[in-house]
Amino acid sequence: MKKLRNTIACGVAALALLATGLTSCTGDFDNINTSKDKPTPEDVDRDNAWAAFIQTMQRNVFAEGANAYQLADNLLGDSYAGYFGQAQDWDSGSNSTCYAFPTAKWKDEPYKQAYNNVMSSWNILRQKVDSASVVFALGEVVKVQAMHRVTDIYGPLPYTAFGKMSSGLPYDSQETVYRTFIKELDHALKTLKAAYEADSGAKPIADFDVVFDSDLEKWIRFANSLKLRLAMRICYVKPDLAKQYAMEAVRDGVMETADDSALFQSWGSITIINPLEKIWNGYSDTRMGASMDSYLNGYNDPRLPVYFQPVTEGDNKGEYRGVANGMPNPQQDDYKAMSAPNVQEKSTDSPLRWMMASEVAFLRAEGAMRGWTAEMGGTAEEFYNKGIELSFLENGLSADAAARYAADETSKPTDFTDVSAANTKYNISALGKITIKWNAGASEEEQLERIITQKWIAMFPNGTEAWSEFRRTGYPLIFPVRSNYPTSGVDTNKQIRRMVFPQSEYSNNGAAVQEAVKLLGGPDNGGTKLWWDKKN
């Protein structure tokens, strides 16, 4: 049976594509597409092995391949969050890092990854397993984890009707998508809690779960933590619902220790290589962003050498230096010696971070700051300091080091100086002025900036999530791009609010996209705000 399951896991992606009509067919389909090395539907149906589709979904929350990851994450959310600057000249500045959407080649990638790999697998799962089963519930959680990233990139999405129509798939408003996420998480949590109460040691998808090794308690904590993340996302557009969802999530149990964190990492016979290694090393494209340079150096942050490597040559050798975001035509030779992410070749111990316990502590800190102290289970200051401590522990540092860092009431972000003598025009004074130590007497806005700034540091390198939080709150204060394409529709100082709808959708689902633009409430450009983006 173990051999059968391994065979199923290897062939499940191809089966998903076949079952959803995403592969081409020929007149000799049965002979060409049947192999003893690939599972048939009958094989998969045995021993509840449809759970293999959950692994396929997990492996595509973030794209595993370096090229797909670069297009879907590193050149979009990672850059827009200020985590990374790009040391490569693509299309003479006509690319997404400079908001050149009409000609950008990358805007389709997050959508493609999600629908071709996650939603196609989900479509098989929902048809083949009982909706009251644990397998279905776990699939729901992974689907929400994957798809909330996608709606937070584009806005409205084809979601509730997916898999039910052969063509003309309609889009839902982002509000509908979010409300559906909460319903799906609540349904999943009900099932998972019942299963855990019946048998706390059960491992229902033990042969397929790359994230939690089928530990139901951890899945429950993660699902509640994800619900808390979504709750806080809507606090400016639906404050009452945000408070309700946040209260429910914390009440039912969220991540509290570093061991609870959701990590996509090597597991069993599956080796996961962090795609950032190829991007910084093989491509020599991505380096520390100027905003990270400003904050981490200014704070003398002990996480700096954990996150990044020192400069390898030149006058700044041994320092930690970044590059400006959105340069129109950076020359790679000027910047390839700058600080790269600290992900080493063939390293299997640099997991992709879905969600860390430190983020959850900062979410609770914000909730408490908003007056939900009882609902969050503590004060804003307690959770703020806990978030810092958890982040240090998650990165191999000590609680004592975290306490010393949290007590610093003088350090502030530093100015950014471009290392290239030819590019002094990219020098910029620090935007952030916030110190580290909690100030109970500060205004709510200052407290929010302090929470989100430390949360942003702790979430590295989850750029898509950090970009969403920047858009939602306005924090931290991130340097704007140095080149804004003339027709982007983006206010340079407010920065990009969303990615435009995929060209593939305009080509293949045009009428639905036109309706989606109406749901968006503004033009299909990078300056139109998403449904939850209502603070300013």
Side-chain angles (χ1 to χ4, degrees):
M1 186 58 66
K2 183 74 172 179
K3 182 177 180 180
L4 170 63
R5 285 177 168 172
N6 286 340
T7 301
I8 291 166
C10 291
V12 72
L15 183 55
L17 293 174
L18 289 173
T20 52
L22 295 175
T23 57
S24 61
C25 297
T26 73
D28 197 21
F29 176 85
D30 289 336
N31 290 333
I32 292 175
N33 291 283
T34 300
S35 167
K36 293 180 181 180
D37 296 326
K38 302 294 184 185
T40 66
E42 291 75 20
D43 289 331
V44 178
D45 206 27
R46 291 199 294 269
D47 198 33
N48 203 27
W50 288 104
F53 283 96
I54 293 176
Q55 185 182 106
T56 302
M57 295 168 69
Q58 290 176 337
R59 298 185 75 158
N60 288 282
V61 169
F62 291 93
E64 279 190 80
N67 192 54
Y69 182 91
Q70 183 179 36
L71 299 180
D73 286 277
N74 191 245
L75 294 173
L76 302 183
D78 289 357
S79 296
Y80 301 153
Y83 281 166
F84 294 102
Q86 305 305 329
Q88 177 67 279
D89 179 14
W90 291 283
D91 300 323
S92 300
S94 294
N95 63 69
S96 292
T97 68
C98 299
Y99 306 159
F101 307 124
T103 58
K105 304 171 183 176
W106 312 326
K107 58 181 179 285
D108 290 21
E109 194 66 28
Y111 189 98
K112 182 175 74 174
Q113 286 291 321
Y115 282 91
N116 285 4
N117 300 321
V118 176
M119 292 298 282
S120 61
S121 296
W122 164 252
N123 193 38
I124 302 301
L125 196 68
R126 73 172 183 86
Q127 296 177 69
K128 297 299 182 181
V129 301
D130 192 316
S131 62
S133 69
V134 170
V135 172
F136 185 91
L138 292 172
E140 284 186 299
V141 177
V142 179
K143 181 176 75 158
V144 173
Q145 161 63 6
M147 297 308 295
H148 93 273
R149 290 165 39 82
V150 183
T151 189
D152 290 344
I153 292 172
Y154 296 105
L157 286 181
Y159 194 70
T160 59
F162 184 85
K164 302 174 184 178
M165 303 176 65
S166 59
S167 62
L169 190 61
Y171 279 62
D172 296 304
S173 69
Q174 191 174 41
E175 179 176 1
T176 297
V177 173
Y178 257 73
R179 287 180 181 271
T180 305
F181 286 159
I182 298 297
K183 289 179 182 178
E184 290 171 332
L185 287 175
D186 285 345
H187 178 267
L189 282 162
K190 182 179 179 180
T191 301
L192 295 175
K193 285 187 286 187
Y196 181 75
E197 289 168 2
D199 183 358
S200 61
K203 289 183 172 289
I205 59 169
D207 290 322
F208 305 110
D209 184 5
V210 185
V211 178
F212 288 127
D213 196 23
S214 201
D215 186 324
L216 290 183
E217 182 180 13
K218 288 189 175 182
W219 274 109
I220 292 168
R221 288 187 178 277
F222 171 62
N224 279 317
S225 300
L226 185 54
K227 183 176 179 179
L228 179 60
R229 177 193 274 177
L230 299 180
M232 205 59 70
R233 185 81 85 244
I234 66 173
C235 70
Y236 289 109
V237 66
K238 293 290 182 182
D240 292 342
L241 281 179
K243 180 179 179 180
Q244 174 191 329
Y245 297 154
M247 175 192 69
E248 292 170 354
V250 173
R251 178 198 65 199
D252 293 342
V254 293
M255 298 173 177
E256 295 188 352
T257 70
D259 189 53
D260 291 332
S261 297
L263 305 173
F264 180 72
Q265 58 193 331
S266 296
W267 171 85
S269 62
I270 297 174
T271 298
I272 305 300
I273 305 296
N274 193 316
L276 276 172
E277 189 280 328
K278 182 69 172 178
I279 297 169
W280 80 257
N281 189 16
Y283 302 164
S284 294
D285 287 345
T286 200
R287 293 296 184 264
M288 175 201 289
S291 293
M292 287 296 273
D293 181 328
S294 175
Y295 281 93
L296 295 184
N297 278 309
Y299 287 155
N300 298 303
D301 199 306
R303 289 165 291 190
L304 182 50
V306 179
Y307 288 174
F308 293 101
Q309 303 170 56
V311 175
T312 56
E313 60 184 53
D315 293 341
N316 304 107
K317 185 176 181 180
E319 299 175 4
Y320 294 88
R321 302 295 299 275
V323 302
N325 294 84
M327 292 183 284
N329 55 350
Q331 299 305 300
Q332 194 175 65
D333 285 346
D334 290 341
Y335 298 108
K336 65 182 180 181
M338 295 304 100
S339 294
N342 200 8
V343 180
Q344 301 304 315
E345 185 178 10
K346 298 182 180 177
S347 171
T348 59
D349 58 359
S350 296
L352 292 166
R353 295 179 165 190
W354 280 13
M355 192 176 197
M356 307 301 288
S358 55
E359 178 191 340
V360 178
F362 288 119
L363 287 166
R364 296 172 78 175
E366 183 180 347
M369 182 214 72
R370 295 184 181 281
W372 313 341
T373 304
E375 292 84 357
M376 295 299 98
T379 68
E381 182 174 4
E382 289 169 342
F383 285 121
Y384 174 80
N385 289 329
K386 186 64 175 177
I388 291 174
E389 178 183 294
L390 284 169
S391 179
F392 273 56
L393 295 174
E394 290 160 357
N395 289 289
L397 302 169
S398 70
D400 287 344
R404 290 192 295 272
Y405 176 85
D408 184 342
E409 56 185 338
T410 59
S411 295
K412 294 181 179 181
T414 189
D415 298 343
F416 172 75
T417 303
D418 193 284
V419 297
S420 173
N423 289 328
T424 56
K425 61 185 176 182
Y426 296 140
N427 296 351
I428 188 169
S429 298
L431 297 179
K433 307 296 182 184
I434 202 76
T435 53
I436 301 169
K437 186 178 180 180
W438 184 258
N439 181 357
S443 67
E444 184 173 295
E445 195 64 25
E446 182 180 319
Q447 290 182 353
L448 178 65
E449 182 178 2
R450 192 165 270 115
I451 290 169
I452 301 301
T453 298
Q454 288 301 321
K455 181 181 179 183
W456 175 77
I457 295 172
M459 286 195 300
F460 178 84
N462 190 350
T464 298
E465 183 61 26
W467 176 39
S468 293
E469 286 296 84
F470 167 72
R471 289 176 287 165
R472 178 179 73 88
T473 67
Y475 301 118
L477 300 178
I478 296 171
F479 294 131
V481 296
R482 306 311 163 89
S483 176
N484 184 348
Y485 199 73
T487 60
S488 70
V490 179
D491 182 313
T492 301
N493 292 321
K494 291 181 179 179
Q495 305 188 36
I496 182 171
R497 314 313 290 184
R498 62 179 289 274
M499 179 49 61
V500 299
F501 290 124
Q503 184 57 48
S504 58
E505 280 291 280
Y506 275 103
S507 300
N508 302 320
N509 196 21
V513 177
Q514 295 300 332
E515 292 300 312
V517 175
K518 296 178 184 178
L519 293 173
L520 187 62
D524 183 18
N525 64 32
T528 298
K529 292 185 174 184
L530 300 184
W531 165 71
W532 46 255
D533 185 2
K534 290 293 187 289
K535 184 185 175 194
N536 296 311

